[in-house]
Amino acid sequence: MTTVAYVCADPGIPVFGTKGASVHIQEIVRAWRARGAHVEVYAVRRGEDVPADLADLPVHIVRVGGKGLDPAEREHAQQRAAADLAGQVVELAPDVVYERYSLFSRVLGQVRDALPGREPTTILEVNAPLIEEQATHRVLVDVESAVGALRAQLAAADVVGCVSQPVADWVGGHLDNRADAAARTRHLDGGADAGAVTVCHIRRPDDGCDTPFWHTGAQRPTTAARPSIVVTPNGVNTARIRPVIPDLAGAPVVVFVGTLKPWHGVEDLVEAAALAQVPWRLRLIGDGPVREVVEAAVAKHGLDVELVGAVAPEQVPQALQGALVAVAPYPERDDHYFSPLKVYEYGAAALATVATRIGQIPSVVRDGETGVLVPPSDPAALAAAIDALVADPARAGRLGAAARELMDSEHSWDHVLDATLEAQGALV
């Protein structure tokens, strides 16, 4: 039996949370277990919404802490937590280490160094250019450590799975100097760069280094072939999300699922609801930092919008029930690197999707076949497309059925994991 250590050292992502990232973790774990692997998860947050089928999943938690810490101290705490996770993974001695990329983790290299002669297959899953994302939307103090960690992870990975081509391009931009990154060691406690190191050491008795934190040496050569980079967009569990039955007794329901963040375009959807010429009811499933903005827009237009709030992944199928049309109203932006989980879930629910023509979306929402595409940041076009589908439920049903078939045939999580493992020639 293959033993898999799934690692997530991102403090913003609980294993059992309501975010799409939590869904991603759970579904990759299910995909591994479906092929007979023994999986244990190593993370910094557990979460409370444990699905019944994952209740027996071993989850090892190292808490970052961070209350009362300033940003620099918190980043340092993240580095320590990731290093401690690596120590626990080493105790498992897995055949595969599958890690979701986070800002300061160097787990892949640390585990490889600690298991000489038994190097596990290492897979790094990259979902976003986190360094730029953190610097732009939050606070990033130690850019050098973040860049160093990414390069160390890339140097240690056999396969890097990226959710979109822009993310793969970003990863590639950090590969140019990977040999140099692997040939040097930087202490995780913020000390001076140790330069070229000839011993791989992780808290070994013969380690003459006085750092209290783990760090990786560079004895292992970096080969030109490592890593294989593959674009693996998100998938969907079509057994968990089944086709919904539209409620056409009154005005049809138009649904949005996702975190309420500025780049999800929910304000445009509310504006579209205000412009609608055909009656439909808007249901928003999710919560997030722009909720107050959305609520203000709803109040401004005097709309009757169903604000459901965040729901656990297990509750999403029920929350979609009764809907006729689903919406992914991403606004215009130059860096749309996302692989939107919601459009896959809409398709699995056999919902006709109205989405903006941006990034990866046209490859999933096929205009006129499984949904309708409109220009981004154009509430009037969004309203017109929704109106047209609401006025023609039979057409919406045909598009939704085609979307369901597409998800079944091409976008299961098994397909996602297969594509990742095939890149390494390690199909389990």
Side-chain angles (χ1 to χ4, degrees), residues 347 400-411:
R404 169 75 190 186
E405 185 175 343
L406 178 64
M407 297 304 114
D408 259 335
S409 62
E410 297 185 18
H411 295 294

Side-chain angles (χ1 to χ4, degrees), residues 15-239:
V15 176
F16 300 122
T18 59
K19 294 182 175 181
S22 301
V23 173
H24 200 292
I25 291 174
Q26 294 169 29
E27 294 296 357
I28 290 295
V29 167
R30 287 189 179 100
W32 275 111
R33 285 168 40 130
R35 61 188 64 208
H38 170 73
V39 184
E40 299 197 18
V41 173
Y42 298 80
V44 293
R45 286 183 64 189
R46 179 181 175 84
E48 303 298 328
D49 299 304
V50 184
D53 65 321
L54 297 181
D56 63 338
L57 178 69
V59 179
H60 308 268
I61 298 296
V62 174
R63 299 192 185 282
V64 173
K67 280 190 174 180
L69 298 179
D70 65 31
E73 292 171 328
R74 183 168 173 78
E75 291 177 2
H76 202 185
Q78 289 177 239
Q79 296 174 45
R80 289 196 300 270
D84 286 344
L85 287 176
Q88 295 190 17
V89 172
V90 168
E91 292 177 6
L92 179 68
D95 302 297
V96 178
V97 183
Y98 186 109
E99 182 168 4
R100 183 184 177 96
Y101 166 59
S102 60
L103 273 173
F104 298 107
S105 171
R106 299 174 183 238
V107 168
L108 295 184
Q110 291 166 336
V111 172
R112 295 193 83 126
D113 291 346
L115 295 172
R118 196 185 181 286
E119 288 194 352
T121 297
T122 47
I123 300 169
L124 184 68
E125 174 196 294
V126 184
N127 295 275
L130 290 184
I131 296 172
E132 285 77 2
E133 192 176 87
Q134 184 76 4
T136 301
H137 300 290
R138 305 177 193 94
V139 176
L140 179 59
V141 178
D142 193 349
V143 177
E144 183 182 357
S145 283
V147 172
L150 172 59
R151 289 178 174 173
Q153 291 283 73
L154 296 178
D158 294 314
V159 179
V160 179
C162 303
V163 295
S164 68
Q165 188 59 52
V167 171
D169 293 342
W170 179 77
V171 166
H174 286 278
L175 275 175
D176 294 340
N177 297 316
R178 73 180 192 277
D180 178 62
R184 298 171 68 81
T185 296
R186 187 173 188 283
H187 290 229
L188 299 182
D189 58 356
D193 191 321
V197 175
T198 57
V199 178
C200 299
H201 46 187
I202 297 181
R203 284 177 179 165
R204 283 172 25 178
D206 59 344
D207 181 2
C209 179
D210 61 359
T211 177
F213 307 123
W214 290 31
H215 57 100
T216 182
Q219 192 73 356
R220 180 176 55 77
T222 300
T223 66
R226 177 178 288 163
S228 298
I229 299 177
V230 58
V231 175
T232 52
N234 279 328
V236 67
N237 184 336
T238 54

